Tab-separated table of all heavy atoms in Angstrom:
chain	number	residue	atom	x	y	z
A	380	LEU	N	-5.782	70.336	-60.046
A	380	LEU	CA	-4.356	70.064	-60.059
A	380	LEU	C	-4.141	68.601	-60.401
A	380	LEU	O	-4.679	67.723	-59.720
A	380	LEU	CB	-3.741	70.363	-58.685
A	380	LEU	CG	-4.027	71.738	-58.089
A	380	LEU	CD1	-3.366	71.861	-56.730
A	380	LEU	CD2	-3.548	72.837	-59.011
A	381	GLN	N	-3.378	68.320	-61.452
A	381	GLN	CA	-3.091	66.936	-61.803
A	381	GLN	C	-1.748	66.548	-61.214
A	381	GLN	O	-0.703	67.062	-61.615
A	381	GLN	CB	-3.082	66.735	-63.314
A	381	GLN	CG	-2.876	65.269	-63.689
A	381	GLN	CD	-3.211	64.974	-65.129
A	381	GLN	OE1	-4.082	65.602	-65.709
A	381	GLN	NE2	-2.513	64.010	-65.715
A	382	SER	N	-1.794	65.650	-60.241
A	382	SER	CA	-0.587	65.245	-59.546
A	382	SER	C	-0.839	63.900	-58.892
A	382	SER	O	-1.984	63.461	-58.748
A	382	SER	CB	-0.208	66.292	-58.497
A	382	SER	OG	1.055	66.033	-57.952
A	383	GLY	N	0.242	63.240	-58.474
A	383	GLY	CA	0.133	61.949	-57.805
A	383	GLY	C	-0.175	62.109	-56.336
A	383	GLY	O	-0.960	62.976	-55.940
A	384	CYS	N	0.474	61.329	-55.501
A	384	CYS	CA	0.124	61.226	-54.076
A	384	CYS	C	0.145	62.552	-53.331
A	384	CYS	O	-0.554	62.722	-52.340
A	384	CYS	CB	1.071	60.249	-53.391
A	384	CYS	SG	1.053	58.591	-54.091
A	385	ALA	N	0.967	63.503	-53.779
A	385	ALA	CA	1.069	64.790	-53.090
A	385	ALA	C	0.002	65.781	-53.532
A	385	ALA	O	-0.105	66.875	-52.970
A	385	ALA	CB	2.457	65.397	-53.311
A	386	GLY	N	-0.798	65.413	-54.530
A	386	GLY	CA	-1.778	66.350	-55.063
A	386	GLY	C	-2.794	66.823	-54.045
A	386	GLY	O	-3.267	67.963	-54.107
A	387	ALA	N	-3.144	65.946	-53.097
A	387	ALA	CA	-4.122	66.333	-52.078
A	387	ALA	C	-3.606	67.489	-51.235
A	387	ALA	O	-4.335	68.450	-50.941
A	387	ALA	CB	-4.454	65.131	-51.196
A	388	LEU	N	-2.329	67.417	-50.833
A	388	LEU	CA	-1.772	68.501	-50.018
A	388	LEU	C	-1.431	69.716	-50.865
A	388	LEU	O	-1.446	70.845	-50.370
A	388	LEU	CB	-0.539	68.006	-49.256
A	388	LEU	CG	-0.793	66.889	-48.248
A	388	LEU	CD1	0.414	66.697	-47.333
A	388	LEU	CD2	-2.047	67.140	-47.419
A	389	GLN	N	-1.142	69.518	-52.153
A	389	GLN	CA	-0.979	70.663	-53.048
A	389	GLN	C	-2.305	71.417	-53.160
A	389	GLN	O	-2.339	72.655	-53.154
A	389	GLN	CB	-0.520	70.195	-54.428
A	389	GLN	CG	0.904	69.671	-54.458
A	389	GLN	CD	1.263	69.063	-55.799
A	389	GLN	OE1	0.459	68.380	-56.424
A	389	GLN	NE2	2.473	69.322	-56.257
A	390	ALA	N	-3.410	70.676	-53.267
A	390	ALA	CA	-4.725	71.300	-53.323
A	390	ALA	C	-5.032	72.027	-52.025
A	390	ALA	O	-5.617	73.130	-52.025
A	390	ALA	CB	-5.791	70.241	-53.609
A	391	LEU	N	-4.644	71.435	-50.896
A	391	LEU	CA	-4.842	72.079	-49.598
A	391	LEU	C	-4.023	73.361	-49.502
A	391	LEU	O	-4.491	74.380	-48.973
A	391	LEU	CB	-4.446	71.110	-48.495
A	391	LEU	CG	-4.873	71.447	-47.065
A	391	LEU	CD1	-6.382	71.444	-46.932
A	391	LEU	CD2	-4.254	70.453	-46.087
A	392	ASP	N	-2.808	73.328	-50.030
A	392	ASP	CA	-1.942	74.508	-50.043
A	392	ASP	C	-2.600	75.638	-50.818
A	392	ASP	O	-2.680	76.785	-50.352
A	392	ASP	CB	-0.592	74.133	-50.659
A	392	ASP	CG	0.416	75.272	-50.635
A	392	ASP	OD1	0.261	76.189	-49.800
A	392	ASP	OD2	1.366	75.241	-51.434
A	393	LEU	N	-3.092	75.325	-52.012
A	393	LEU	CA	-3.752	76.342	-52.832
A	393	LEU	C	-4.994	76.883	-52.142
A	393	LEU	O	-5.237	78.099	-52.126
A	393	LEU	CB	-4.117	75.747	-54.193
A	393	LEU	CG	-4.905	76.656	-55.137
A	393	LEU	CD1	-4.147	77.954	-55.427
A	393	LEU	CD2	-5.220	75.917	-56.439
A	394	ALA	N	-5.781	75.998	-51.539
A	394	ALA	CA	-7.009	76.437	-50.879
A	394	ALA	C	-6.719	77.396	-49.730
A	394	ALA	O	-7.422	78.399	-49.545
A	394	ALA	CB	-7.785	75.227	-50.374
A	395	CYS	N	-5.690	77.094	-48.954
A	395	CYS	CA	-5.329	77.990	-47.845
A	395	CYS	C	-4.931	79.369	-48.361
A	395	CYS	O	-5.226	80.394	-47.730
A	395	CYS	CB	-4.192	77.382	-47.038
A	395	CYS	SG	-4.665	75.951	-46.048
A	396	ARG	N	-4.268	79.412	-49.510
A	396	ARG	CA	-3.856	80.686	-50.082
A	396	ARG	C	-5.038	81.463	-50.649
A	396	ARG	O	-4.995	82.698	-50.755
A	396	ARG	CB	-2.813	80.454	-51.181
A	396	ARG	CG	-1.502	79.847	-50.677
A	396	ARG	CD	-0.572	79.469	-51.823
A	396	ARG	NE	0.588	78.739	-51.363
A	396	ARG	CZ	1.734	79.291	-50.956
A	396	ARG	NH1	1.843	80.621	-50.965
A	396	ARG	NH2	2.741	78.555	-50.554
A	397	LEU	N	-6.098	80.751	-51.019
A	397	LEU	CA	-7.272	81.405	-51.600
A	397	LEU	C	-8.187	82.026	-50.554
A	397	LEU	O	-8.965	82.935	-50.872
A	397	LEU	CB	-8.074	80.397	-52.429
A	397	LEU	CG	-7.424	79.912	-53.726
A	397	LEU	CD1	-8.229	78.771	-54.330
A	397	LEU	CD2	-7.313	81.061	-54.732
A	398	LEU	N	-8.137	81.523	-49.331
A	398	LEU	CA	-9.010	82.063	-48.286
A	398	LEU	C	-8.669	83.530	-48.021
A	398	LEU	O	-7.529	83.875	-47.726
A	398	LEU	CB	-8.862	81.263	-46.992
A	398	LEU	CG	-9.462	79.858	-46.978
A	398	LEU	CD1	-9.097	79.145	-45.689
A	398	LEU	CD2	-10.985	79.903	-47.142
A	399	ASP	N	-9.652	84.398	-48.161
A	399	ASP	CA	-9.458	85.822	-47.902
A	399	ASP	C	-10.811	86.446	-47.592
A	399	ASP	O	-11.780	85.732	-47.306
A	399	ASP	CB	-8.777	86.519	-49.085
A	399	ASP	CG	-9.552	86.373	-50.393
A	399	ASP	OD1	-10.784	86.140	-50.347
A	399	ASP	OD2	-8.930	86.477	-51.473
A	400	GLU	N	-10.897	87.752	-47.674
A	400	GLU	CA	-12.130	88.450	-47.312
A	400	GLU	C	-13.272	88.153	-48.275
A	400	GLU	O	-14.438	88.281	-47.906
A	400	GLU	CB	-11.864	89.958	-47.263
A	400	GLU	CG	-10.896	90.367	-46.155
A	400	GLU	CD	-10.603	91.850	-46.166
A	400	GLU	OE1	-11.076	92.535	-47.095
A	400	GLU	OE2	-9.903	92.324	-45.249
A	401	GLU	N	-12.948	87.767	-49.508
A	401	GLU	CA	-13.988	87.460	-50.490
A	401	GLU	C	-14.247	85.965	-50.606
A	401	GLU	O	-15.308	85.547	-51.071
A	401	GLU	CB	-13.592	88.009	-51.861
A	401	GLU	CG	-13.522	89.527	-51.925
A	401	GLU	CD	-13.200	90.026	-53.320
A	401	GLU	OE1	-13.138	89.185	-54.244
A	401	GLU	OE2	-13.019	91.235	-53.485
A	402	HIS	N	-13.270	85.150	-50.222
A	402	HIS	CA	-13.401	83.696	-50.296
A	402	HIS	C	-13.320	83.150	-48.874
A	402	HIS	O	-12.240	82.856	-48.360
A	402	HIS	CB	-12.294	83.102	-51.165
A	402	HIS	CG	-12.261	83.639	-52.555
A	402	HIS	ND1	-11.565	84.777	-52.890
A	402	HIS	CD2	-12.855	83.199	-53.690
A	402	HIS	CE1	-11.721	85.007	-54.186
A	402	HIS	NE2	-12.498	84.067	-54.687
A	403	LEU	N	-14.483	83.011	-48.242
A	403	LEU	CA	-14.528	82.634	-46.832
A	403	LEU	C	-14.564	81.133	-46.619
A	403	LEU	O	-14.102	80.639	-45.599
A	403	LEU	CB	-15.753	83.275	-46.169
A	403	LEU	CG	-15.829	84.807	-46.236
A	403	LEU	CD1	-17.113	85.286	-45.573
A	403	LEU	CD2	-14.616	85.441	-45.580
A	404	ILE	N	-15.139	80.407	-47.586
A	404	ILE	CA	-15.310	78.958	-47.444
A	404	ILE	C	-14.965	78.275	-48.759
A	404	ILE	O	-15.408	78.698	-49.835
A	404	ILE	CB	-16.758	78.596	-47.044
A	404	ILE	CG1	-17.103	79.188	-45.672
A	404	ILE	CG2	-16.958	77.079	-47.035
A	404	ILE	CD1	-18.546	78.974	-45.267
A	405	GLY	N	-14.153	77.223	-48.672
A	405	GLY	CA	-13.786	76.486	-49.873
A	405	GLY	C	-13.878	74.990	-49.658
A	405	GLY	O	-13.811	74.496	-48.522
A	406	LEU	N	-14.024	74.267	-50.746
A	406	LEU	CA	-14.023	72.810	-50.733
A	406	LEU	C	-12.724	72.319	-51.364
A	406	LEU	O	-12.340	72.777	-52.436
A	406	LEU	CB	-15.195	72.257	-51.542
A	406	LEU	CG	-16.519	72.001	-50.813
A	406	LEU	CD1	-17.593	71.612	-51.833
A	406	LEU	CD2	-16.368	70.892	-49.778
A	407	VAL	N	-12.045	71.402	-50.697
A	407	VAL	CA	-10.833	70.789	-51.225
A	407	VAL	C	-11.097	69.298	-51.392
A	407	VAL	O	-11.575	68.645	-50.460
A	407	VAL	CB	-9.625	71.000	-50.298
A	407	VAL	CG1	-8.348	70.539	-50.970
A	407	VAL	CG2	-9.508	72.459	-49.887
A	408	VAL	N	-10.781	68.766	-52.558
A	408	VAL	CA	-11.065	67.367	-52.854
A	408	VAL	C	-9.786	66.664	-53.288
A	408	VAL	O	-9.010	67.208	-54.082
A	408	VAL	CB	-12.115	67.229	-53.984
A	408	VAL	CG1	-12.607	65.787	-54.074
A	408	VAL	CG2	-13.261	68.193	-53.788
A	409	GLY	N	-9.559	65.463	-52.783
A	409	GLY	CA	-8.510	64.580	-53.278
A	409	GLY	C	-9.173	63.291	-53.719
A	409	GLY	O	-9.888	62.663	-52.933
A	410	ALA	N	-8.974	62.893	-54.956
A	410	ALA	CA	-9.694	61.725	-55.460
A	410	ALA	C	-8.901	61.050	-56.560
A	410	ALA	O	-8.213	61.715	-57.339
A	410	ALA	CB	-11.080	62.131	-55.987
A	411	ASP	N	-9.014	59.732	-56.623
A	411	ASP	CA	-8.389	58.983	-57.708
A	411	ASP	C	-9.154	57.706	-57.988
A	411	ASP	O	-9.693	57.072	-57.080
A	411	ASP	CB	-6.931	58.638	-57.380
A	411	ASP	CG	-5.961	59.714	-57.842
A	411	ASP	OD1	-6.031	60.091	-59.029
A	411	ASP	OD2	-5.162	60.191	-57.030
A	412	VAL	N	-9.217	57.373	-59.260
A	412	VAL	CA	-9.727	56.092	-59.729
A	412	VAL	C	-8.552	55.418	-60.422
A	412	VAL	O	-8.386	55.487	-61.634
A	412	VAL	CB	-10.932	56.267	-60.670
A	412	VAL	CG1	-11.404	54.921	-61.209
A	412	VAL	CG2	-12.082	56.958	-59.946
A	413	CYS	N	-7.693	54.803	-59.622
A	413	CYS	CA	-6.421	54.267	-60.123
A	413	CYS	C	-6.592	53.059	-61.010
A	413	CYS	O	-5.800	52.844	-61.940
A	413	CYS	CB	-5.520	53.902	-58.939
A	413	CYS	SG	-5.192	55.262	-57.791
A	414	VAL	N	-7.620	52.244	-60.757
A	414	VAL	CA	-7.750	50.979	-61.468
A	414	VAL	C	-8.003	51.172	-62.954
A	414	VAL	O	-7.721	50.290	-63.766
A	414	VAL	CB	-8.861	50.119	-60.820
A	414	VAL	CG1	-10.239	50.654	-61.168
A	414	VAL	CG2	-8.725	48.658	-61.238
A	415	LYS	N	-8.521	52.335	-63.338
A	415	LYS	CA	-8.823	52.519	-64.758
A	415	LYS	C	-7.557	52.618	-65.602
A	415	LYS	O	-7.615	52.531	-66.820
A	415	LYS	CB	-9.692	53.758	-64.958
A	415	LYS	CG	-8.969	55.089	-64.858
A	415	LYS	CD	-9.935	56.212	-65.164
A	415	LYS	CE	-9.231	57.554	-65.197
A	415	LYS	NZ	-10.159	58.649	-65.484
A	416	HIS	N	-6.405	52.825	-64.964
A	416	HIS	CA	-5.148	52.871	-65.706
A	416	HIS	C	-4.682	51.479	-66.129
A	416	HIS	O	-3.753	51.354	-66.914
A	416	HIS	CB	-4.052	53.501	-64.849
A	416	HIS	CG	-4.237	54.962	-64.606
A	416	HIS	ND1	-4.284	55.887	-65.621
A	416	HIS	CD2	-4.395	55.656	-63.459
A	416	HIS	CE1	-4.453	57.082	-65.107
A	416	HIS	NE2	-4.527	56.974	-63.798
A	417	LEU	N	-5.290	50.440	-65.585
A	417	LEU	CA	-4.800	49.088	-65.813
A	417	LEU	C	-5.591	48.390	-66.914
A	417	LEU	O	-6.822	48.417	-66.921
A	417	LEU	CB	-4.898	48.268	-64.527
A	417	LEU	CG	-4.130	48.845	-63.329
A	417	LEU	CD1	-4.407	48.025	-62.095
A	417	LEU	CD2	-2.644	48.901	-63.609
A	418	VAL	N	-4.880	47.768	-67.839
A	418	VAL	CA	-5.507	46.958	-68.871
A	418	VAL	C	-5.576	45.537	-68.323
A	418	VAL	O	-4.555	44.863	-68.191
A	418	VAL	CB	-4.694	47.003	-70.184
A	418	VAL	CG1	-5.362	46.153	-71.248
A	418	VAL	CG2	-4.553	48.445	-70.657
A	419	LEU	N	-6.764	45.082	-68.005
A	419	LEU	CA	-6.901	43.854	-67.225
A	419	LEU	C	-6.663	42.582	-68.020
A	419	LEU	O	-6.315	41.559	-67.465
A	419	LEU	CB	-8.297	43.805	-66.592
A	419	LEU	CG	-8.635	44.959	-65.651
A	419	LEU	CD1	-10.026	44.781	-65.073
A	419	LEU	CD2	-7.611	45.062	-64.536
A	420	ASP	N	-6.843	42.610	-69.328
A	420	ASP	CA	-6.759	41.379	-70.103
A	420	ASP	C	-5.958	41.556	-71.381
A	420	ASP	O	-6.383	41.166	-72.457
A	420	ASP	CB	-8.163	40.876	-70.460
A	420	ASP	CG	-8.896	40.335	-69.262
A	420	ASP	OD1	-8.355	39.425	-68.621
A	420	ASP	OD2	-9.982	40.828	-68.959
A	421	ARG	N	-4.767	42.122	-71.264
A	421	ARG	CA	-3.972	42.317	-72.478
A	421	ARG	C	-3.278	41.020	-72.879
A	421	ARG	O	-3.381	40.570	-73.992
A	421	ARG	CB	-2.938	43.428	-72.258
A	421	ARG	CG	-2.110	43.701	-73.491
A	421	ARG	CD	-1.175	44.862	-73.293
A	421	ARG	NE	-1.913	46.113	-73.208
A	421	ARG	CZ	-1.333	47.285	-72.989
A	421	ARG	NH1	-0.033	47.355	-72.826
A	421	ARG	NH2	-2.044	48.367	-72.912
A	422	ASN	N	-2.526	40.417	-72.005
A	422	ASN	CA	-1.936	39.107	-72.255
A	422	ASN	C	-1.597	38.473	-70.910
A	422	ASN	O	-1.737	39.103	-69.867
A	422	ASN	CB	-0.681	39.216	-73.146
A	422	ASN	CG	0.367	40.147	-72.543
A	422	ASN	OD1	0.798	39.947	-71.415
A	422	ASN	ND2	0.762	41.160	-73.295
A	423	THR	N	-1.180	37.241	-70.931
A	423	THR	CA	-0.967	36.496	-69.686
A	423	THR	C	0.054	37.170	-68.791
A	423	THR	O	-0.149	37.313	-67.584
A	423	THR	CB	-0.508	35.070	-70.007
A	423	THR	OG1	-1.496	34.452	-70.823
A	423	THR	CG2	-0.339	34.269	-68.725
A	424	ASN	N	1.169	37.618	-69.361
A	424	ASN	CA	2.213	38.225	-68.539
A	424	ASN	C	1.738	39.507	-67.886
A	424	ASN	O	1.958	39.743	-66.712
A	424	ASN	CB	3.459	38.492	-69.386
A	424	ASN	CG	4.163	37.199	-69.775
A	424	ASN	OD1	4.046	36.194	-69.080
A	424	ASN	ND2	4.876	37.239	-70.883
A	425	SER	N	1.065	40.362	-68.683
A	425	SER	CA	0.627	41.642	-68.123
A	425	SER	C	-0.473	41.436	-67.097
A	425	SER	O	-0.567	42.153	-66.117
A	425	SER	CB	0.150	42.589	-69.233
A	425	SER	OG	-1.030	42.105	-69.844
A	426	VAL	N	-1.323	40.428	-67.312
A	426	VAL	CA	-2.372	40.158	-66.330
A	426	VAL	C	-1.751	39.747	-65.000
A	426	VAL	O	-2.181	40.154	-63.932
A	426	VAL	CB	-3.331	39.065	-66.847
A	426	VAL	CG1	-4.222	38.555	-65.712
A	426	VAL	CG2	-4.199	39.618	-67.963
A	427	GLY	N	-0.666	38.940	-65.065
A	427	GLY	CA	0.012	38.561	-63.834
A	427	GLY	C	0.548	39.757	-63.099
A	427	GLY	O	0.394	39.886	-61.893
A	428	ARG	N	1.165	40.685	-63.832
A	428	ARG	CA	1.692	41.898	-63.192
A	428	ARG	C	0.550	42.775	-62.711
A	428	ARG	O	0.622	43.388	-61.658
A	428	ARG	CB	2.588	42.645	-64.178
A	428	ARG	CG	3.929	41.965	-64.412
A	428	ARG	CD	4.868	42.905	-65.130
A	428	ARG	NE	4.448	43.179	-66.493
A	428	ARG	CZ	4.791	42.433	-67.554
A	428	ARG	NH1	5.532	41.364	-67.386
A	428	ARG	NH2	4.382	42.754	-68.757
A	429	THR	N	-0.541	42.837	-63.506
A	429	THR	CA	-1.698	43.619	-63.096
A	429	THR	C	-2.277	43.093	-61.800
A	429	THR	O	-2.649	43.842	-60.902
A	429	THR	CB	-2.778	43.589	-64.194
A	429	THR	OG1	-2.287	44.248	-65.356
A	429	THR	CG2	-4.040	44.297	-63.730
A	430	GLY	N	-2.329	41.754	-61.663
A	430	GLY	CA	-2.840	41.172	-60.429
A	430	GLY	C	-2.058	41.624	-59.228
A	430	GLY	O	-2.614	41.957	-58.188
A	431	HIS	N	-0.744	41.682	-59.341
A	431	HIS	CA	0.088	42.136	-58.223
A	431	HIS	C	-0.144	43.625	-57.938
A	431	HIS	O	-0.194	44.042	-56.782
A	431	HIS	CB	1.566	41.875	-58.530
A	431	HIS	CG	2.001	40.494	-58.173
A	431	HIS	ND1	1.936	39.449	-59.053
A	431	HIS	CD2	2.481	39.977	-57.009
A	431	HIS	CE1	2.371	38.344	-58.456
A	431	HIS	NE2	2.709	38.635	-57.222
A	432	VAL	N	-0.277	44.430	-58.995
A	432	VAL	CA	-0.538	45.858	-58.798
A	432	VAL	C	-1.855	46.058	-58.069
A	432	VAL	O	-1.972	46.895	-57.170
A	432	VAL	CB	-0.547	46.593	-60.151
A	432	VAL	CG1	-1.037	48.028	-59.973
A	432	VAL	CG2	0.841	46.598	-60.775
A	433	LEU	N	-2.874	45.267	-58.422
A	433	LEU	CA	-4.186	45.431	-57.817
A	433	LEU	C	-4.191	45.122	-56.323
A	433	LEU	O	-5.081	45.567	-55.607
A	433	LEU	CB	-5.209	44.538	-58.528
A	433	LEU	CG	-5.666	45.022	-59.909
A	433	LEU	CD1	-6.509	43.960	-60.588
A	433	LEU	CD2	-6.446	46.319	-59.802
A	434	PHE	N	-3.214	44.372	-55.839
A	434	PHE	CA	-3.125	44.130	-54.404
A	434	PHE	C	-2.842	45.434	-53.650
A	434	PHE	O	-3.156	45.554	-52.470
A	434	PHE	CB	-2.017	43.118	-54.100
A	434	PHE	CG	-2.465	41.688	-54.180
A	434	PHE	CD1	-2.235	40.944	-55.314
A	434	PHE	CD2	-3.119	41.097	-53.114
A	434	PHE	CE1	-2.645	39.618	-55.387
A	434	PHE	CE2	-3.536	39.771	-53.175
A	434	PHE	CZ	-3.299	39.030	-54.323
A	435	GLY	N	-2.216	46.412	-54.304
A	435	GLY	CA	-1.802	47.626	-53.610
A	435	GLY	C	-2.692	48.827	-53.818
A	435	GLY	O	-2.803	49.671	-52.939
A	436	VAL	N	-3.335	48.946	-54.987
A	436	VAL	CA	-4.070	50.166	-55.286
A	436	VAL	C	-5.507	50.081	-54.799
A	436	VAL	O	-6.005	49.024	-54.419
A	436	VAL	CB	-4.062	50.467	-56.808
A	436	VAL	CG1	-2.655	50.610	-57.313
A	436	VAL	CG2	-4.818	49.386	-57.580
A	437	GLY	N	-6.181	51.229	-54.829
A	437	GLY	CA	-7.592	51.314	-54.500
A	437	GLY	C	-8.134	52.622	-55.035
A	437	GLY	O	-7.368	53.519	-55.405
A	438	ASP	N	-9.441	52.737	-55.098
A	438	ASP	CA	-10.085	53.938	-55.611
A	438	ASP	C	-10.887	54.606	-54.512
A	438	ASP	O	-11.364	53.944	-53.581
A	438	ASP	CB	-11.021	53.588	-56.780
A	438	ASP	CG	-10.295	52.922	-57.936
A	438	ASP	OD1	-9.105	53.237	-58.134
A	438	ASP	OD2	-10.909	52.095	-58.637
Side-chain angles (χ1 to χ4, degrees):
L380 308 179
Q381 184 165 329
S382 189
C384 301
L388 297 193
Q389 290 173 320
L391 194 64
D392 184 22
L393 176 58
C395 289
R396 296 173 188 272
L397 291 171
L398 288 174
D399 58 23
E400 294 177 355
E401 294 183 5
H402 302 87
L403 302 178
I404 297 175
L406 270 173
V407 189
V408 192
D411 270 308
V412 177
C413 304
V414 74
K415 76 176 185 180
H416 290 300
L417 302 175
V418 180
L419 300 181
D420 289 304
R421 182 176 290 178
N422 57 56
T423 302
N424 290 334
S425 67
V426 167
R428 287 193 292 272
T429 295
H431 275 90
V432 171
L433 285 172
F434 274 98
V436 301
D438 301 329

